[in-house]
């Protein structure tokens, strides 16, 4: 007699000995997997919505101005263009870094007084001057305008640019502290076998991008006060420091354009090195490299005096104030982190700056020697004191607020 399966088990599973409990478990597992898949898909959808919202700048677009020393502004601007290609979004703002060159004295006066946007452009969120000579001035005048302690991406040691014959005579035997005596004494170079040269004729320019004059004076101050650590305010106020800087300034030949580069160019172009009006000038190694990078033979020489070597450190001064938004502050931090990557930093080191990226080939003048004894930055008060001795009592920010203070140009030679 034929047998028929029960109409309640059309699958036949129960007839094969599979319990209803196992079937329920399998169905539950399928349901859980379906829920998990749905949850993942929902999460991906939410993430895509977030990405789309960010990409469309839900909070709008924000420009982030940076004022930089003219020597680095071009390369820093190129890095900003690369940064823009990453489509940066900070706090739901699409940000654009805008780098422009600015004279240090003009920028300082504006930041310490009243910033005139009509003549100076948008107030910057960060400032990168040639050295901490200017960062110290701003910190002393307006400590509330500086956010944190400035760091730096690149640097350049301060050296002496001289004629090759003079360098041959004094290299490895001259220290910073000897410069005042070599300047003051009429026939001081006779001791080095250069009887017809007279004194060292050291130019002391105080025009644009002349930080090396003040930095060299700091190095002299360290040695004449026998300072072994950080130069302090008491050190800088020593009568020996004032008299040493006076000795270097007294009778110093004028740079043709008031700058170290102009003085170095005059040395290189002098028809007779011994009778030239300028024999030496303190200059950053990077400036000297740029001046001589295309030379096939040495018209100038790089002299590194003994003692701590002063450094132009190009500090990144993060600025503070009600005019600077939180997203601008965050964008500055992210941009300079991006700039510190080797491929970006190479845009700066290719110009002759020292940094954590490959250096350019040496020239007949500059071969980028290791800086054995870098000089630490002095105390803020010490830097300001030496600035006054070098640049005069008005080297700091103007005391009058307004556009007139912001647009004063410090372009006079020294």
């Amino acid at each position: 007699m034929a047998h028929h399966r029960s109409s309640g088990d059309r699958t036949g599973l129960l007839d094969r000995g599979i319990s209803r409990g196992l079937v329920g478990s399998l169905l539950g597992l399928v349901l859980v997997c379906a829920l998990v898949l749905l949850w993942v898909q929902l999460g991906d959808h939410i993430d895509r919505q977030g990405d789309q919202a960010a990409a469309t700048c839900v909070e709008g677009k924000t420009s982030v101005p940076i004022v930089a020393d003219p020597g680095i502004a071009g390369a820093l601007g190129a890095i900003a263009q690369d940064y823009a290609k990453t489509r940066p979004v900070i706090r739901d703002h699409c940000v654009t870094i805008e780098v422009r060159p600015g004279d240090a004295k003009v920028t300082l006066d504006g930041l310490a007084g009243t910033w005139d946007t009509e003549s100076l452009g948008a107030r910057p969120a960060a400032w990168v001057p040639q050295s901490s000579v200017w960062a110290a001035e701003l910190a002393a005048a307006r400590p509330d305008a500086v956010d944190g302690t400035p760091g730096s991406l690149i640097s350049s040691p301060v050296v002496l640019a001289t004629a090759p014959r003079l360098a041959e005579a004094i290299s490895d035997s001259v220290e910073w502290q000897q410069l005042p005596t070599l300047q003051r004494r009429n026939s001081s170079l006779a001791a080095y076998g250069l009887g017809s040269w007279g004194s060292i004729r050291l130019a002391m320019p105080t025009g644009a991008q002349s930080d090396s004059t003040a930095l060299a004076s700091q190095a002299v101050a360290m040695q004449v006060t026998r300072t072994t650590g950080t130069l302090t305010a008491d050190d800088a106020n020593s009568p020996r420091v004032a008299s040493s800087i006076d000795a270097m300034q007294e009778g110093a030949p004028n740079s043709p354009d008031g700058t170290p580069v102009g003085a170095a160019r005059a040395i290189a172009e002098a028809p007779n090195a011994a009778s030239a009006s300028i024999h030496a000038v303190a200059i950053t190694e990077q400036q000297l490299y740029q001046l001589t990078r295309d030379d096939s033979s040495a018209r100038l020489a790089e002299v590194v005096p003994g003692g701590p070597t002063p450094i132009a450190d190009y500090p990144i001064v993060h600025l503070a104030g009600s005019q600077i938004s939180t997203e601008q502050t965050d964008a500055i931090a992210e941009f300079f982190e991006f700039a510190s990557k080797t491929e970006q930093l190479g845009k700066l080191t290719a110009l002759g700056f020292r940094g954590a990226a490959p250096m350019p080939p040496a020239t007949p003048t500059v071969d980028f020697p290791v800086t054995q004894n870098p000089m630490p930055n002095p105390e803020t008060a010490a830097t300001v004191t030496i600035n006054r001795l070098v640049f005069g009592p008005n080297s700091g920010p103007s005391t009058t607020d307004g556009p007139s203070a912001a647009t004063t140009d410090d372009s006079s030679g020294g």
Side-chain angles (χ1 to χ4, degrees):
M1 181 176 177
H3 294 281
H4 299 279
R5 293 189 177 96
S6 168
S7 61
D9 179 25
R10 297 184 182 277
T11 64
L13 292 175
L14 296 180
D15 285 349
R16 296 187 179 99
I18 300 177
S19 70
R20 288 185 174 85
L22 181 56
V23 172
S25 297
L26 290 171
L27 292 174
L29 181 61
V30 171
L31 179 61
V32 168
C33 290
L35 289 173
V36 169
L37 180 61
L38 180 63
W39 180 260
V40 170
Q41 289 176 336
L42 179 62
D44 288 343
H45 179 67
I46 293 173
D47 287 342
R48 284 195 298 273
Q49 283 186 321
D51 291 341
Q52 290 169 355
T56 55
C57 311
V58 292
E59 294 294 335
K61 298 180 180 180
T62 298
S63 295
V64 185
I66 297 174
V67 173
D69 177 80
I72 67 168
L76 207 57
I79 295 173
Q81 290 177 0
D82 285 350
Y83 179 65
K85 294 174 184 176
T86 69
R87 301 185 181 278
V89 178
I90 307 293
R91 294 179 181 266
D92 293 332
H93 291 257
C94 287
V95 300
T96 301
I97 303 293
E98 298 178 348
V99 181
R100 64 179 188 267
D103 176 83
K105 180 63 165 64
V106 173
T107 304
L108 173 66
D109 284 345
L111 292 174
T114 300
W115 188 268
D116 179 34
T117 55
E118 185 174 342
S119 62
L120 298 177
R123 186 182 180 91
W127 179 30
V128 189
Q130 190 178 48
S131 77
S132 289
V133 162
W134 300 103
E137 288 282 359
L138 181 58
R142 285 284 303 276
D144 61 324
V146 179
D147 182 12
T149 302
S152 61
L153 289 175
I154 44 91
S155 64
S156 186
V158 173
V159 300
L160 295 183
T162 74
R165 178 68 185 91
L166 177 57
E168 184 182 323
I170 67 174
S171 288
D172 302 323
S173 60
V174 166
E175 298 192 344
W176 292 105
Q177 64 183 336
Q178 293 174 274
L179 295 181
T181 300
L182 293 174
Q183 183 85 311
R184 187 190 308 118
R185 292 182 181 172
N186 290 333
S187 300
S188 59
L189 293 182
Y192 299 90
L194 302 175
S196 63
W197 286 58
S199 72
I200 198 169
R201 298 178 194 166
L202 176 71
M204 296 283 286
T206 57
Q209 295 179 285
S210 291
D211 295 26
S212 53
T213 300
L215 294 169
S217 298
Q218 292 177 8
V220 171
M222 278 201 72
Q223 286 197 309
V224 300
T225 57
R226 295 181 172 83
T227 301
T228 57
T230 300
L231 191 71
T232 67
D234 287 342
D235 295 327
N237 282 295
S238 164
R240 294 193 66 186
V241 171
S243 62
S244 295
I245 293 175
D246 282 345
M248 290 192 295
Q249 290 179 318
E250 193 173 329
N254 289 327
S255 167
D257 62 357
T259 70
V261 172
R265 187 177 290 113
I267 297 170
E269 295 175 354
N272 186 315
S275 60
S277 60
I278 303 174
H279 285 329
V281 64
I283 190 170
T284 67
E285 180 186 69
Q286 190 272 339
Q287 289 173 320
L288 185 57
Y289 168 76
Q290 285 294 313
L291 186 59
T292 63
R293 62 185 301 174
D294 296 325
D295 290 353
S296 56
S297 60
R299 299 179 300 147
L300 289 167
E302 176 182 23
V303 175
V304 182
T309 300
I311 305 292
D313 57 343
Y314 295 84
I316 302 166
V317 183
H318 296 254
L319 299 173
S322 59
Q323 309 93 330
I324 300 170
S325 65
T326 303
E327 59 270 14
Q328 286 180 320
T329 299
D330 290 351
I332 288 294
E334 184 175 291
F335 169 66
F336 281 107
E337 182 178 351
F338 175 83
S340 68
K341 296 179 179 179
T342 302
E343 62 272 22
Q344 299 300 329
L345 201 58
K347 293 180 174 65
L348 288 163
T349 57
L351 299 177
F353 295 105
R354 303 285 186 102
M359 299 296 296
T363 71
T365 296
V366 178
D367 59 1
F368 304 105
V370 174
T371 302
Q372 301 288 353
N373 187 10
M375 176 180 161
N377 282 334
E379 291 181 354
T380 295
T383 297
V384 171
T385 296
I386 291 177
N387 288 350
R388 299 295 181 271
L389 294 172
V390 173
F391 298 118
N394 296 321
S395 62
S398 301
T399 56
T400 303
D401 288 349
S404 60
T407 56
T408 300
D409 188 11
D410 181 28
S411 58
S412 60

